[in-house]
Structure formats: structure tokens, C-alpha cells
């Protein structure tokens, strides 16, 4: 089929289903203890059980200019003392690169912000396409009680800058409230 090792790409198709995604690329798994520092508080039960918070299935694409990377993320439901499970979030290392998300299942928010201090939260779910412009960091939050599943595509050479987000965080955190969700200034 296709090679990640430098052979010329040919058109191809991959399938996914409810029970398994076979994208033939990297499979990234983030467990609670890997990313617990991104949450405001810690939870000893989660530390002990160390559940998978999210996993990513990438296409078999080389990370080079001209290619498009695609992937599916499954972000599981749950909270850390009320703060919804979320992804680490990142800027692109090549900042002038955009990204498109297509919601497949569940319901979530994409938190977006720029280094100039702008902040937006947009909904993702089935039948919703989210456009993340260049220069905007992005983090996904699952605000539903089922896995949030979405497809993403972006320039394959974009790279991931997690460090800036780790240092500065996102402007707002999303908690479960009595009547829905709560935005909490961090
Ligand atoms: Fe991205």
C-alpha cells in the first residue's frame, strides 16, 4: 500500500468503524498519569487506575511539506474533580498552518487562543466542521458522557508545540456545572 519511509505516495483509502480504526500510522495513547499536570487538580483514584484519557490514530503520512496528515481522536468522557477530560493542546511549530476538524460522535468544545491573548471556544460534534486558523492553539474538551470522536486534517509538516501551552495554559478551563458547563478563568 503506502510507505511512511519515503516512497512516493499513491492514492489510498482507509476505513474506520465503531470497533476499530486501522489507519496504518502512529497510534498515540495518553493516559491520566501522562497528562495529569494539565488539570487544575489531581485525583488519587485516577492516579491509581490511570485510565486512557484520549488516543489518536494517525494516517500513514510522512511529516513533510506538501502532504496532509489526517487522524482520528477518541477523547473519553470523565472529569478530574469536575474539570472535563481534555487534550494537551498545542500550537503548531510551523505557526502559519491551519487545521480542520470534523465531529463524528459525542459533543465537545475546541478551545482556541492566540499568543496575542484572543480566546474562542467552539462546539464540535456530529455534522460540525471546525476551522482552526493559522496561529491559533487548540485543545479539545469532552463535555458529554460518551466518547468524543473527531477527524482532523492539517499540513503534515506543521509539527506540535506543546511546551508553550504547558507554560502558559489556556485562558479558561471547562468544568461540569449544576446547569451545564462552567468556564473558569485559570
Ligand atoms: Fe493541531
Amino acid at each position: 500500500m503506502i510507505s511512511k519511509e519515503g516512497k512516493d505516495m499513491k492514492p489510498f483509502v482507509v476505513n474506520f468503524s465503531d470497533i476499530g480504526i486501522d489507519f496504518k500510522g502512529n497510534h498515540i495513547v495518553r493516559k491520566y498519569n501522562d497528562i495529569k499536570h494539565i488539570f487544575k487538580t489531581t485525583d488519587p483514584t485516577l492516579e491509581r487506575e490511570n485510565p486512557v484519557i484520549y488516543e489518536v490514530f494517525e494516517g500513514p503520512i510522512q511529516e513533510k511539506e506538501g502532504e496532509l496528515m489526517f487522524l482520528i481522536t477518541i477523547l473519553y468522557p470523565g472529569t478530574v474533580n469536575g474539570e472535563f477530560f481534555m487534550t494537551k493542546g498545542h500550537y503548531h511549530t510551523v505557526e502559519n498552518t491551519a487545521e480542520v476538524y470534523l465531529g463524528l460522535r459525542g459533543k465537545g468544545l475546541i478551545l482556541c487562543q492566540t499568543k496575542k491573548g484572543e480566546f474562542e471556544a467552539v462546539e464540535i460534534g456530529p455534522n460540525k466542521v471546525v476551522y482552526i486558523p493559522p496561529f491559533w492553539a487548540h485543545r479539545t474538551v469532552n463535555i458529554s458522557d460518551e466518547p468524543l470522536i473527531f477527524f482532523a486534517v492539517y499540513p503534515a509538516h506543521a509539527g506540535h508545540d506543546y511546551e508553550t501551552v504547558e507554560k502558559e495554559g489556556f485562558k479558561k478551563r471547562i468544568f461540569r456545572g449544576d446547569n451545564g458547563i462552567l468556564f473558569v478563568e485559570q
Side-chain angles (χ1 to χ4, degrees):
M1 193 180 91
I2 322 97
S3 164
K4 286 181 72 182
E5 289 83 41
K7 291 183 191 156
D8 285 344
M9 300 288 286
K10 296 229 170 98
F12 67 95
V13 59
V14 287
N15 298 311
F16 62 90
S17 70
D18 287 352
I19 52 167
I21 296 167
D22 184 11
F23 273 4
K24 307 197 187 306
N26 293 325
H27 178 211
I28 299 151
V29 177
R30 308 269 195 223
K31 293 188 169 187
Y32 175 72
N33 285 327
D34 301 328
I35 61 165
K36 62 184 179 183
H37 56 281
I38 70 175
F39 296 96
K40 194 172 182 83
T41 63
T42 52
D43 180 330
T45 304
L46 289 172
E47 282 179 329
R48 197 169 55 249
E49 296 175 354
N50 199 23
V52 174
I53 306 298
Y54 64 100
E55 55 187 320
V56 178
F57 299 86
E58 291 185 348
I61 313 293
Q62 286 183 274
E63 294 181 345
K64 67 177 189 185
E65 196 163 3
E67 304 284 1
L68 291 173
M69 177 59 81
F70 65 84
L71 52 80
I72 278 184
T73 301
I74 304 176
L75 173 55
Y76 292 96
T79 75
V80 181
N81 299 312
E83 184 177 11
F84 288 110
F85 284 0
M86 60 185 173
T87 63
K88 288 168 72 171
H90 58 267
Y91 288 92
H92 289 163
T93 311
V94 180
E95 294 185 86
N96 190 18
T97 51
E99 184 155 353
V100 168
Y101 285 0
L102 168 65
L104 300 173
R105 280 176 170 241
K107 186 178 172 190
L109 292 176
I110 312 296
L111 310 186
C112 302
Q113 70 182 23
T114 66
K115 291 177 179 172
K116 289 189 279 184
E118 299 158 290
F119 178 88
E120 299 281 339
V122 295
E123 259 188 47
I124 190 160
N127 303 322
K128 290 186 196 298
V129 174
V130 175
Y131 183 72
I132 301 158
F135 301 101
W136 285 78
H138 34 290
R139 159 178 283 169
T140 308
V141 185
N142 186 348
I143 58 169
S144 70
D145 293 321
E146 60 177 320
L148 171 62
I149 306 179
F150 61 96
F151 177 87
V153 60
Y154 59 91
H157 69 300
H160 296 85
D161 167 14
Y162 295 108
E163 291 75 23
T164 304
V165 166
E166 295 214 349
K167 261 186 269 163
E168 299 171 4
F170 274 71
K171 279 182 123 174
K172 292 182 184 175
R173 297 175 171 280
I174 314 300
F175 282 77
R176 193 191 295 280
D178 292 337
N179 301 308
I181 61 170
L182 282 178
F183 285 75
V184 175
E185 299 277 340
Q186 70 155 346

